[in-house]
Amino acid sequence: MNKDIKKIAIVRLSALGDIVNSAVVLQFIKENYPDAQIEWITEEVFSPILELLPQLNAVHTINLKRVKKEKSLQLLKETLQTLKKLNNFDIIIDMQGLIKSALVSRLIGKNTHGFDKSSTRESLATLFYKSTSHISYESNVLKRNAFIVCDALGFKISDEMLLNKQAIFSVSKKYELPKDKKNVAFVIGASWQSKIYPKELIVELCNALKEDAYIIWGSEKEKRSAEWIVDNSKYATLAPSLELTELVAYISAMDLLIGNDTGPTHIAWAQNIASITLLGPTTTRMIYETPKNIGLKSPSDVNILKIDKNDYSIKEIHSEIIITQAKELLYGL
């Protein structure tokens, strides 16, 4: 460890699932650097969930997506000015490894650390780093996140430490759910259509488990699908509209979560809630499997370096397999 490090910046701009899977490192940084000030730079939309991280001293937001959408030079200028005001960091760790995150890191200060050119999809990002780490891009995402921080700060995060981690986010609101049955959440949306498990098969899961099923939705399109599931299963209930902080609390109240490879599903792992992640065009590289957090992959072959968004094989994951696994997690059968 480097005793001279007193102020640490973490750069992870997006997306929700990646931020969730990166935030686990904070508790281990704090164990090794208890007096260090830790700050995080992110896209504005994700700041509420980062405010739930007790180890952070500050969250700084930018809006690069808006800059890109509006093509506003004035907004770009304001963003650059905001970043340049953030200084005096002893080390800046870019956990994202993209050109945009590397540039953000360099605008904050000179002592930048990131992935080397063979460890990231955008090798030009390395031009903005003072030091780098090497770990295969094909490696598990959680292990990559842990490694780059450990390598930068000079300590180790073992598998045992990850297995025994504390819940990552603090819960600001408590949901009181019925106790006469198990409470099972279903995350039915995702960023790509090919990541979405068919709603007809979700109904089969609800009807087979015969527990209280809560259908989590985000967009209006997802809400319509959720309503269809509720209409076709007497065990299903439409989840309320949830802000990010409420979503964390809601998932934290569940006995089990079943969902697609997407941010809300990763929150279950973060909060030490049992989960089943359904994977079609992606692989278990995207999750950290534990005895109670498992991934079920469709039969398709996946090239991590060239993801096929037209791979709809997720529908080939048989509901019976999910039901069997869910019962094992719920009842220890």
Side-chain angles (χ1 to χ4, degrees):
M1 291 188 297
N2 186 341
K3 294 182 179 180
D4 294 329
I5 294 178
K6 304 294 185 184
K7 191 174 181 183
I8 301 166
I10 299 292
V11 177
R12 183 85 210 193
L13 305 177
S14 61
L16 178 60
D18 297 314
I19 288 172
V20 170
N21 287 339
S22 298
V24 66
V25 302
L26 295 177
Q27 57 191 267
F28 303 117
I29 295 175
K30 209 63 178 174
E31 285 179 10
N32 289 276
Y33 291 85
D35 299 320
Q37 182 168 327
I38 310 171
E39 303 182 13
W40 193 301
I41 296 84
T42 188
E43 284 278 357
E44 187 175 32
V45 67
F46 301 114
S47 64
I49 197 168
L50 290 171
E51 297 290 352
L52 299 178
L53 295 168
Q55 301 88 359
L56 286 182
N57 296 95
V59 177
H60 304 287
T61 64
I62 56 176
N63 205 329
L64 293 181
K65 289 186 177 180
R66 185 180 162 202
V67 170
K68 183 178 179 180
K69 182 179 179 181
E70 297 183 7
K71 296 181 175 61
S72 168
L73 290 177
Q74 179 60 32
L75 186 57
L76 176 59
K77 181 180 178 182
E78 291 172 4
T79 300
L80 294 176
Q81 289 173 341
T82 297
L83 290 171
K84 288 178 180 179
K85 288 178 183 178
L86 305 177
N87 51 29
N88 299 321
F89 288 105
D90 296 308
I91 190 167
I92 302 148
I93 306 172
D94 177 12
M95 296 185 70
Q96 193 153 3
L98 300 180
I99 293 172
K100 65 178 180 181
S101 59
L103 179 57
V104 166
S105 301
R106 185 60 184 83
L107 286 169
I108 295 170
K110 295 181 179 179
N111 197 15
T112 54
H113 185 91
F115 295 103
D116 72 11
K117 63 181 181 180
S118 61
S119 305
T120 182
R121 288 187 294 118
E122 298 185 4
S123 58
L124 289 178
T126 60
L127 296 174
F128 299 98
Y129 304 140
K130 182 178 179 181
S131 59
T132 59
S133 295
H134 174 75
I135 182 170
S136 169
Y137 181 74
E138 292 90 342
S139 299
N140 179 273
V141 166
L142 271 298
K143 292 189 175 183
R144 279 171 56 86
N145 291 340
F147 178 78
I148 193 168
V149 169
C150 292
D151 200 37
L153 298 177
F155 64 90
K156 293 187 181 297
I157 300 175
S158 66
D159 283 330
E160 184 180 3
M161 292 165 71
L162 288 172
L163 283 170
N164 295 298
K165 74 181 191 313
Q166 299 172 5
I168 293 174
F169 300 102
S170 60
V171 174
S172 56
K173 178 179 180 179
K174 191 169 183 179
Y175 284 90
E176 297 291 344
L177 300 175
K179 299 296 184 183
D180 55 323
K181 289 186 176 183
K182 297 290 188 180
N183 296 304
V184 182
F186 289 85
V187 174
I188 63 168
S191 54
W192 317 333
Q193 189 64 35
S194 57
K195 280 185 172 184
I196 296 175
Y197 196 61
K199 61 182 185 291
E200 295 82 5
L201 296 179
I202 297 291
V203 168
E204 287 187 17
L205 299 179
C206 294
N207 292 340
L209 292 174
K210 296 181 172 60
E211 301 290 0
D212 287 335
Y214 299 90
I215 315 303
I216 294 174
W217 55 276
S219 66
E220 284 301 313
K221 182 179 179 181
E222 289 174 14
K223 185 179 182 182
R224 289 192 295 272
S225 293
E227 289 171 337
W228 186 90
I229 292 168
V230 170
D231 288 341
N232 286 274
S233 175
K234 66 180 182 180
Y235 301 101
T237 298
L238 185 71
S241 176
L242 299 165
E243 301 292 338
L244 274 179
T245 54
E246 294 171 327
L247 178 64
V248 171
Y250 196 70
I251 290 172
S252 299
M254 297 295 162
D255 296 300
L256 172 66
L257 182 145
I258 301 172
N260 307 310
D261 176 16
T262 188
T265 304
H266 299 312
I267 290 173
W269 169 80
Q271 297 303 96
N272 296 328
I273 300 299
S275 66
I276 300 173
T277 305
L278 306 177
L279 302 144
T282 56
T283 72
T284 52
R285 170 185 179 270
M286 308 305 295
I287 64 175
Y288 190 84
E289 290 191 282
T290 76
K292 67 176 185 180
N293 303 104
I294 64 142
L296 293 177
K297 173 71 181 81
S298 70
S300 70
D301 292 324
V302 174
N303 179 357
I304 290 301
L305 300 177
K306 192 176 182 181
I307 295 292
D308 180 8
K309 292 185 179 182
N310 292 314
D311 173 3
Y312 286 86
S313 62
I314 192 169
K315 63 186 178 183
E316 296 176 37
I317 302 175
H318 296 298
S319 58
E320 293 85 356
I321 297 173
I322 303 170
I323 293 162
T324 298
Q325 191 65 68
K327 287 180 177 179
E328 288 181 9
L329 293 171
L330 286 171
Y331 320 120
L333 299 177

